[in-house]
Amino acid sequence: ILNGDDDAAGLMGVPLSELYKGGEAPTAISIDFASYTFTKKNSSSAAWWRRKPVAGDSLRAYGQSPLPGEVRKSPRWRHWLLATSIMALRSLEFAISDLSVTIAV
């Protein structure tokens, strides 16, 4: 993220325009370590999990110059291509299963 890696930034759940304001990577990020556990079914809380801090204070991470080829810049349409491929494979799977049912009857 500190070096402008789009694939790593995509895992953050934050729009890239918000993460990379002005097209520049952040100079530092704050890191909080926590342990997450699922809540029980009969819990009165609407939350799915509980968060318990592991360390008392946040850590700061600062960027450094990446090695050549270390920063990934995937095409923006990569996710659409992946989703389309999966949907096409699922359609083919259903078509083949329908064909085998027709032949068996």
Side-chain angles (χ1 to χ4, degrees), residues 38-62:
F38 286 108
T39 56
K40 299 199 185 298
K41 271 185 167 180
N42 57 2
S43 172
S44 61
S45 171
W48 287 31
W49 58 80
R50 283 185 303 250
R51 180 182 185 275
K52 180 180 175 188
V54 174
D57 294 326
S58 294
L59 299 175
R60 301 268 184 232
Y62 297 94

Side-chain angles (χ1 to χ4, degrees), residues 45-91:
S45 171
W48 287 31
W49 58 80
R50 283 185 303 250
R51 180 182 185 275
K52 180 180 175 188
V54 174
D57 294 326
S58 294
L59 299 175
R60 301 268 184 232
Y62 297 94
Q64 48 185 290
S65 298
L67 297 173
E70 200 173 55
V71 177
R72 293 189 55 163
K73 296 282 186 185
S74 295
R76 294 271 179 232
W77 46 267
R78 179 183 73 137
H79 297 93
W80 288 103
L81 182 62
L82 180 61
T84 304
S85 299
I86 291 170
M87 288 173 31
L89 287 173
R90 293 295 290 169
S91 297

Side-chain angles (χ1 to χ4, degrees), residues 94-105:
F94 287 127
I96 290 173
S97 67
D98 286 344
L99 180 62
S100 64
V101 169
T102 306
I103 293 172
V105 174

